Amino acid sequence: MTVLPALPVKIRNLSLLRALCLSVLLLLAACEQRSPAWYLEGMQGTALWHVTLTHPPATLNQAELQAGLNQTFAQTNQWLATWDETSVLSQFNRYQGTDWFAVAPELAELVELTLQLSQQSNGVYDVTIGPLIKLWGFNSHTGVTAVPEQTAIDAARAKVGYQKLQVRLEPPALRKSQADILVNLASVADGFAADQAGRYLEALGVRDYMVEIAGEVRTRGLSPRGDAWHIAIEKPVEEGRVIQQGVNLQEAGLATSGDYRNFFVEGGKRYSHTVNPVTGSPVTHNLASVSVVAADATLADAYATLLMALGEQQGKTFADTHGINAYFIWRTDEGFETADTVGFRQVLSKK
């Protein structure tokens, strides 16, 4: 008998309950197993993670591996979680100075990547968006959200700007030129966590594995069937889970960003958690979700957020121009329509 696992759902803000948001459904459990495999899972904060190993090395102990993975995910939270006041990023956000603030090399490298994407997108992707996320209520544990006054939006926008954040790699440190900026790395946190777990597995000699946390996926090697890892992307519907499209992954990361789990409605208007840092308000286009396949889950996670902010038309153009492997689903009066880039078409499942 085969059973589909209970899967987590994904949000773009670590402070909200991830269990109420977007996910990527994993098809592995519905496949015929032909090779020895381990299946591990656990909770980190409010995020559920899954790891599958094909041909686990004989030197590994499953209980010790579980503990090691738990520690790896906990370390990622200790670096990035804005909902944890003790995390390095929370400490940096509270810091009111403008000199260099020492961080781990991994965190410095991650911030460097986000700043590169900010420049590439002319600020549509911007991890200093924290003041706007907080203002709109998407950074609240209570889930209370409301439309703020325009004066408040303008005041928050004055605290946003990737140009106000600097990074150096040696020695690793962050610096802000404006003391009240707030960095929010939720747009890459889960993809980064999946990659960190994958690197931990590889250091132990694991070559064939799949890591998934809150819907973001990293794959290497072969699945227990001896072929690519079969992953499914959800149809962006608010109730239930329906598979929209399957993909086959090897040596790649997959991430999906969407607006159909984390939003609120006020005055008959829908407000998504994807906030455009240029306008200071949630995006207003018809794009419901976008999935990205990249070399690793971190890059896929960041690009999925970037394209979601741009919308179906500008996002598709940006993806084509920059060679991003992306799959778009948007709403029309007749239902959903889809588009993909040439690169993404290569991983679509024909089954």
Side-chain angles (χ1 to χ4, degrees), residues 82 89 92-93 111 127-131 165 174 181-185:
T82 54
L89 192 58
F92 176 67
N93 283 339
V111 171
V127 295
T128 68
I129 199 171
L165 176 64
L174 305 179
I181 68 168
L182 298 176
V183 179
N184 188 310
L185 293 171

Side-chain angles (χ1 to χ4, degrees), residues 26-163:
L26 305 180
L27 297 179
L28 175 64
C31 300
E32 177 186 353
Q33 181 175 321
R34 299 174 183 173
S35 300
W38 287 358
Y39 303 92
L40 300 93
E41 66 177 22
M43 291 292 298
Q44 181 53 51
T46 56
L48 179 63
W49 57 263
H50 297 86
V51 170
T52 300
L53 279 66
T54 307
H55 297 116
T59 55
L60 287 185
N61 174 281
Q62 191 163 349
E64 293 176 355
L65 181 60
Q66 176 83 34
L69 286 167
N70 283 333
Q71 178 58 39
T72 300
F73 286 118
Q75 178 61 76
T76 298
N77 271 354
Q78 183 56 36
W79 285 329
L80 309 184
T82 54
W83 47 263
D84 182 352
E85 293 185 354
T86 69
S87 75
V88 175
L89 192 58
S90 292
Q91 293 178 51
F92 176 67
N93 283 339
R94 288 196 304 271
Y95 180 59
Q96 293 299 297
T98 56
D99 52 349
W100 288 106
F101 184 96
V103 298
E106 294 87 347
L107 179 52
E109 291 170 4
L110 179 61
V111 171
E112 182 183 46
L113 171 65
T114 67
L115 292 180
Q116 290 172 355
L117 267 61
S118 293
Q119 294 175 341
Q120 190 180 62
S121 65
N122 293 319
V124 172
Y125 179 84
D126 191 332
V127 295
T128 68
I129 199 171
L132 287 167
I133 296 295
K134 183 178 180 180
L135 175 67
W136 281 88
F138 293 116
N139 203 39
S140 170
H141 282 290
T142 65
V144 176
T145 47
V147 178
E149 297 291 335
Q150 186 60 48
T151 54
I153 294 175
D154 293 341
R157 283 182 60 203
K159 302 176 184 178
V160 175
Y162 70 91
Q163 302 91 339

